[in-house]
Amino acid sequence: MNNIAVVGAGISGLSIANYLEKHQLDYHIYERRKKDDLTGHGFLLPKEGIEYLSQIVDPSVLFKHGNFLKKYIRYSHRGERLAEKDLNDVFVISRSSLINILARNIPSEKISYEETVTPCTVQKGKLRKKDGTYINSNLAIVSDGSKSRIRREIFKDENMRTVQENEIVNIIKCKDIAASLENNFMKYHHEDGGLTFGILKLSEETVLWYSQLDNKKYNISDEYSVDGLKKYMFDIFSDWDPMVSSIVKGSNYDHVHLWKVYELEKLNPFHKDNIVFIGDAAHPLIPFTSQGVTSALKDSFTLTKYLTSEKNISDAFRKYETERKPEIETHIRNGRILLDEFLKPLDQQSENILPISYK
Ligand SMILES: Cc1cc2nc3c(=O)[nH]c(=O)nc-3n(C[C@H](O)[C@H](O)[C@H](O)COP(=O)(O)OP(=O)(O)OC[C@H]3O[C@@H](n4cnc5c(N)ncnc54)[C@H](O)[C@@H]3O)c2cc1C
């Protein structure tokens, strides 16, 4: 029997598996996707995230695959430099690199890919594999992301709503643009508010760009396609500063993606029976906070701490929730403030708003 079932091998599932491995606890991960199917783009990580990551992965490997940012520079969409701020130890890394680094420490027999897990509606606290058999575990750590099917099944009255912001994200290969960015995080803002374009260097030859848009003002059809997103980007950004318009025109769109952003109107408990939630499954955070990954890492650290120190799992789950929830609520509040600022015209926004929520 595996004592602990972990559902999902995103950042949360893999990070807790690293902690469980470190403490020699018995676990097995069930992941829906194929092993090499790594969608997603990149993350900003504040210093605290790096400190937690460094407990479970080799920092030298981590630093080889990402980039420390020097300055955050804020521009108007016409290219006027509005403000700049030092970014102390803010790190950027692609999602696929971080997932690969976290997965390195997990023995292959402890992870099953292409295994979608569902809750059993009849037996409390039981999870089922896709062949219908039950997972035989003492407890389940659910890390299946913001739209967690297991959470929605358990907390049926939760209200999940769309946020008035979507993000179009792309990663491109271009040494020249990467070199010109000099480790700065550049973000352009439309003067009417509700539209930005951000550029970050991921490595010597890869660049991540993204656009945040007010989805009430800039409506993208639900049936978006790569061509549709490309056309949208061309139409909207053609008259922006040449740095932006040239990147938009010169990009390869094979990996472009539209992210719809969701939040819970009110957080659920982080546990029920022998099931506990971590990461986005417990608390979706809007991207403005840049705290999703760091919060997932801190959830994993804290839950492992109590699983290894408390005599029974209900005390461990309760202490985990008591410790983590207040900080998450702060990030949710900060995220909503950052969203409100983003939606205002530029001349009404506070100056120097960093795209990160701090406690
Ligand atoms: C546009 C955008 C930008 C962001 N930018 C940042 C940023 O700059 N910094 C930051 O820290 N955070 C950022 N975030 C948030 C960050 O992506 C998440 O907080 C983080 O990825 C959460 O990881 P997770 O493991 O909890 O969930 P996920 O990454 O969603 O992983 C869930 C995993 O569970 C698997 N799964 C789902 N259902 C099942 C099932 N039934 N059975 C088995 N497996 C299942 C999925 O395949 C997936 O692998 C951003 C998010 C978005 C959308």
Side-chain angles (χ1 to χ4, degrees):
M1 185 180 92
N2 297 300
N3 278 328
I4 302 177
V6 177
V7 182
I11 304 297
S12 315
L14 288 171
S15 65
I16 197 143
N18 273 269
Y19 280 109
L20 299 176
E21 192 66 37
K22 216 171 147 183
H23 288 273
Q24 298 178 328
L25 295 176
D26 195 13
Y27 68 92
H28 192 89
I29 312 179
Y30 301 87
E31 166 55 52
R32 180 178 62 188
R33 66 176 157 84
K34 290 189 177 144
K35 185 166 186 237
D36 298 321
D37 183 6
L38 287 175
T39 52
H41 292 86
F43 308 119
L44 286 179
L45 290 178
K47 190 175 175 197
E48 202 183 14
I50 294 297
E51 286 165 0
Y52 277 85
L53 262 178
S54 302
Q55 297 176 10
I56 47 177
V57 302
D58 180 349
S60 63
V61 174
L62 185 68
F63 300 157
K64 242 189 255 163
H65 288 84
N67 200 18
F68 279 102
L69 298 170
K70 265 201 260 166
K71 274 187 199 153
Y72 170 65
I73 313 179
R74 185 174 161 92
Y75 294 90
S76 74
H77 77 282
R78 305 266 179 228
E80 185 193 348
R81 200 170 171 124
L82 302 172
E84 64 176 60
K85 208 166 172 146
D86 285 338
L87 285 172
N88 292 324
D89 296 325
V90 173
F91 187 69
V92 61
I93 187 163
S94 73
R95 184 173 189 270
S96 57
S97 295
L98 188 51
I99 296 257
N100 281 329
I101 292 171
L102 284 167
R104 279 184 192 192
N105 301 332
I106 311 300
S108 59
E109 69 279 8
K110 292 193 181 176
I111 180 160
S112 306
Y113 290 98
E114 299 180 63
E115 186 63 87
T116 302
V117 172
T118 50
C120 168
T121 44
V122 191
Q123 268 183 279
K124 268 205 306 198
K126 279 273 175 202
L127 297 175
R128 272 204 302 206
K129 294 194 269 183
K130 67 179 178 198
D131 64 4
T133 57
Y134 292 115
I135 294 179
N136 198 10
S137 65
N138 295 348
L139 71 109
I141 299 174
V142 175
S143 50
D144 57 349
S146 61
K147 288 196 276 177
S148 169
R149 190 165 162 188
I150 298 171
R151 187 194 68 226
R152 281 180 290 147
E153 187 61 49
I154 291 177
F155 302 109
K156 284 207 163 66
D157 55 357
E158 76 168 32
N159 187 8
M160 185 147 203
R161 59 187 180 199
T162 53
V163 173
Q164 196 182 331
E165 186 244 355
N166 290 351
E167 302 208 358
I168 297 175
V169 192
N170 200 0
I171 290 182
I172 55 167
K173 278 206 163 163
C174 184
K175 274 190 184 162
D176 293 346
I177 298 174
S180 73
L181 295 175
E182 291 179 8
N183 297 347
N184 293 325
F185 172 11
M186 296 159 77
K187 198 161 169 195
Y188 293 77
H189 300 252
H190 195 281
E191 61 200 19
D192 295 340
L195 189 65
T196 66
F197 188 87
I199 320 164
L200 300 144
K201 176 167 130 183
L202 285 175
S203 72
E204 294 311 317
E205 52 177 34
T206 49
V207 169
L208 179 150
W209 63 246
Y210 68 103
S211 167
Q212 298 170 315
L213 54 113
D214 172 348
N215 52 22
K216 283 198 178 153
K217 258 197 216 165
Y218 301 94
N219 197 5
I220 300 181
S221 113
D222 266 355
E223 276 147 45
Y224 57 87
S225 59
V226 166
D227 285 344
L229 291 179
K230 185 173 173 179
K231 179 174 181 321
Y232 170 86
M233 292 300 297
F234 275 46
D235 289 350
I236 299 286
F237 293 97
S238 61
D239 63 345
W240 282 44
D241 181 70
M243 178 74 178
V244 176
S245 57
S246 62
I247 290 178
V248 165
K249 278 196 203 112
S251 290
N252 176 315
Y253 281 76
D254 288 352
H255 300 291
V256 74
H257 187 74
L258 172 70
W259 289 97
K260 298 196 169 179
V261 183
Y262 300 90
E263 65 172 1
L264 283 174
E265 193 170 281
K266 187 168 161 289
L267 288 176
N268 298 303
F270 289 180
H271 57 95
K272 179 90 198 281
D273 305 319
N274 62 340
I275 294 180
V276 63
F277 296 87
I278 61 169
D280 280 11
H283 46 69
L285 290 175
I286 61 175
F288 286 112
T289 63
S290 301
Q291 284 287 356
V293 170
T294 303
S295 299
L297 292 163
K298 292 182 78 173
D299 288 356
S300 298
F301 169 82
T302 310
L303 179 59
T304 312
K305 177 175 77 179
Y306 290 122
L307 285 175
T308 51
S309 63
E310 293 301 310
K311 285 206 175 64
N312 59 62
I313 59 168
S314 42
D315 286 347
F317 288 0
R318 193 174 38 76
K319 288 196 173 178
Y320 153 70
E321 173 168 340
T322 306
E323 185 167 327
R324 293 296 300 136
K325 218 170 200 175
E327 186 180 318
I328 294 298
E329 281 165 343
T330 302
H331 291 317
I332 291 174
R333 272 195 306 277
N334 289 345
R336 287 176 184 155
I337 293 169
L338 290 167
L339 172 68
D340 287 345
E341 286 294 320
F342 159 79
L343 295 171
K344 287 181 195 165
L346 193 52
D347 60 0
Q348 291 171 32
Q349 291 179 15
S350 325
E351 266 202 13
N352 243 349
I353 289 270
L354 273 183
I356 298 180
S357 149
Y358 287 107
K359 283 175 279 178

